[in-house]
Amino acid sequence: MLLPIYIYGQPVLRKESVDITPDYPELETLIANMWETLADSEGIGLAAPQIGLNIRLVVIDLDPLSEDLPEYKNFRHVYINAHIVEYDENSKTETSEEGCLSLPGIHEKVSRPSRIHVRYMDENFQQHDEWIEGYLARVMQHEFDHLDAKMFIDRISPLRKQLIKGKLKAILQGRFRCNYRTKIARR
């Protein structure tokens, strides 16, 4: 089932998410719905707060990028109770443009470490403890930020944030276009 994506201004996007247990109600169905919603919105990552749930659950599908990044062919992963343990202080910081399904029409350059240490569980609740680098590290940081009540616009300079203030205000007023179901904040 397609779920609406919560748009900037929704309080759920600014609330820290909690870990879940294997007995979380209808978890399998929720994950399937998140995959369907992600595909419909043509995104590469979706965090549970973006569908209105403050739980630590993320799905990432990098297969659509596999023509340019062949190492991500068939890359589809579920991350449960995901946490960034540390950032590799010896790795370089890379700056790249990011967008977000919850911020339609906004794209800004964001600097992030190129290597991170993460802990998470997969959909079978098997524990993983890994160092991740490259593009996947960027996507994980972006999506895991949602779990910690952050959005990529929190990582841009005050000047850039000032320059997009009008776009953010338009989003808050429901004046934006996108090709997927959304849920905007009621004012």
Side-chain angles (χ1 to χ4, degrees):
M1 169 177 41
L2 288 177
L3 305 169
I5 293 178
Y6 283 56
I7 300 299
Y8 175 75
Q10 281 281 359
V12 70
L13 296 171
R14 296 303 194 174
K15 185 176 173 201
E16 192 145 344
S17 295
V18 297
D19 286 352
I20 60 173
T21 58
D23 61 350
Y24 187 84
E26 311 230 7
L27 182 60
E28 230 175 270
T29 302
L30 174 61
I31 292 170
N33 291 343
M34 287 179 73
W35 282 126
E36 186 177 344
T37 301
L38 181 62
D40 180 70
S41 64
E42 298 180 359
I44 58 172
L46 184 64
Q50 293 179 278
I51 55 160
L53 298 172
N54 282 120
I55 60 173
R56 296 190 79 87
L57 173 62
V58 168
V59 295
I60 295 176
D61 181 0
L62 296 182
D63 186 62
L65 306 176
S66 63
E67 192 170 301
D68 295 323
L69 300 168
E71 64 270 30
Y72 296 120
K73 182 78 176 151
N74 299 318
F75 186 97
R76 282 173 47 104
H77 285 282
V78 174
Y79 300 91
I80 298 171
N81 300 340
H83 294 272
I84 297 175
V85 178
E86 65 183 305
Y87 299 91
D88 183 352
E89 302 203 3
N90 297 319
S91 73
K92 61 183 176 173
T93 299
E94 295 181 352
T95 302
S96 188
E97 191 172 272
E98 293 186 18
C100 180
L101 297 173
S102 294
L103 288 158
I106 296 181
H107 296 85
E108 290 290 325
K109 290 188 178 202
V110 179
S111 295
R112 296 190 187 269
S114 62
R115 188 169 183 259
I116 57 173
H117 180 197
V118 296
R119 284 196 189 115
Y120 63 92
M121 294 179 185
D122 60 27
E123 61 272 26
N124 300 312
F125 277 82
Q126 296 299 307
Q127 183 75 39
H128 296 264
D129 186 323
E130 304 170 346
W131 281 95
I132 306 293
E133 55 189 299
Y135 191 73
L136 177 57
R138 170 171 295 280
V139 175
M140 283 179 149
Q141 288 172 80
H142 177 105
E143 297 305 330
F144 296 2
D145 270 357
H146 282 297
L147 306 178
D148 295 324
K150 294 184 182 91
M151 300 180 84
F152 82 88
I153 56 171
D154 301 332
R155 300 197 179 276
I156 62 176
S157 73
L159 174 61
R160 289 300 312 157
K161 196 151 185 183
Q162 188 64 32
L163 291 171
I164 64 168
K165 195 174 182 178
K167 289 181 181 180
L168 293 173
K169 185 177 179 184
I171 289 172
L172 288 173
Q173 295 171 344
R175 293 186 292 118
F176 61 87
R177 287 179 174 235
C178 59
N179 296 328
Y180 45 88
R181 283 182 57 207
T182 61
K183 186 165 177 123
I184 60 171
R186 297 287 171 218
R187 300 250 172 229

